[in-house]
Amino acid sequence: MTNVAVIGAQWGDEGKGKVVDWLAERADVVVRFQGGHNAGHTLQVANETYKLSLLPSGVVRGTLSIIGNGVVVDPWALMEEIERLRGQGVPVSPEMLRLAENAILILPFYGRVDQLREQRRGKGAIGTTGRGIGVAYEDKAGRRAIRVADLYDDATLREKVGHLLEHHNALLRGWGAEEIAPEELIAGLEQVRGPLAPYVDCVWERLDALRRSGSRILFEGAQGILLDVDHGTYPFVTSSNTVAAAAAVGSGMGPGAVGYVLGIAKAYTTRVGGGPFPTELHDEVGARLAERGREFGTVTGRPRRCGWFDAAAVRQAVSLSGMAGIALTKLDVLDGIESLEVCTGYRIGDRMLTRLPASQADQAAVEPVYERLEGWSESTAGATGWAQLPATAVKYVRRVEELIGCPVALLSTGPDREATIAMYDPFAD
């Protein structure tokens, strides 16, 4: 069976939740492999809206859902999310949700460290969600982090908390902030380990058994490739790798486990937080996209910056993750716009570029080179077949395919599951 990885092809918020939910009907297991509870996936099912942060989108369908080792986990946020979904009638249980024993924990004070650091950066602030995601990944790389398995060994937990606070309390002292008391931190961790215990598992072993039995595995990415810590608009990026290759590392499977990479891209572009955004619009069209697309963060509620579709950036994302197909979302948001622009490349002075440069200064200096396309006045909202689309909307999609060098496998025309035009089923091979 072909296993599928769903990867954001822009700066996140592309509609991965809906696409993963749609694919989860065909999958046997859904795996989150990076990011933390800064990721927000919204699922619209009939009249019910589900907002997920840490939980894989498969939980809403009752599909076995796994939080892999590449995810950084706030255990309190996880338990709150489980209870919230139960309140909406979703029976989240240890039989359907498993948590990697070697996943890194986000500790209660990480958010404060994150926010203090952003304040000190001033105008150079990254625009993080302030939830401690980056701090957790820093501690992981610094080999001082607390992992899920550490909760169940008192001696190890106390020793590791001591080493961890040596580092963080030195920072807090330097900033003139209140230090962390080790006993208070340990007490909090001891309280959460009981409720968490039924979900803890050796995830890599379970996934290996599932793969060998022929189960169809769906890997759910968070954020987008342009926020990848290596390949994104550094330093205005997330703290993990968001490319498809991270699916293997963040789940404990070999690179051959991913057979089909599906990129997700909006029919326009959005970005949250600071950093370069070549096609950003500061006019009434940008405001219209934000209003019609309901462009506010699922987790933070922050307004998203909006702009024209950046084909050059998506083409780069296609290459970086080896995407075989694209799910183009929110086509209906473009309804009624008479003239559309698509970025095909960039200009810095007299120099022409076909990709986003790595240099921070060059990224800030690039100007988009646009191609103008005809819009459409008819509605595409809720369309489930090509015949229901205006001819100019079809032309827009086909031109996007040409410019990014990748076929559109799925087309989303609204938030509901059914508002989808499927040209190709990634699980078909």
Side-chain angles (χ1 to χ4, degrees), residues 303-316:
R304 298 176 186 137
R305 301 153 64 189
C306 296
W308 294 122
F309 186 80
D310 190 336
V314 174
R315 184 170 62 240
Q316 189 166 330

Side-chain angles (χ1 to χ4, degrees), residues 18 29 43 64 109 114 125 139 156 160 164 166 174 187 198 201 232 239 249 252 262 335 337 364 378 387 418:
K18 175 196 167 173
V29 56
L43 310 182
L64 175 62
F109 68 90
D114 201 349
D139 280 354
T156 299
K160 294 186 80 169
L164 178 84
E166 265 185 52
D201 200 353
S239 299
V249 179
L262 179 68
D335 292 354
I337 301 178
E378 306 94 322
E418 293 74 20

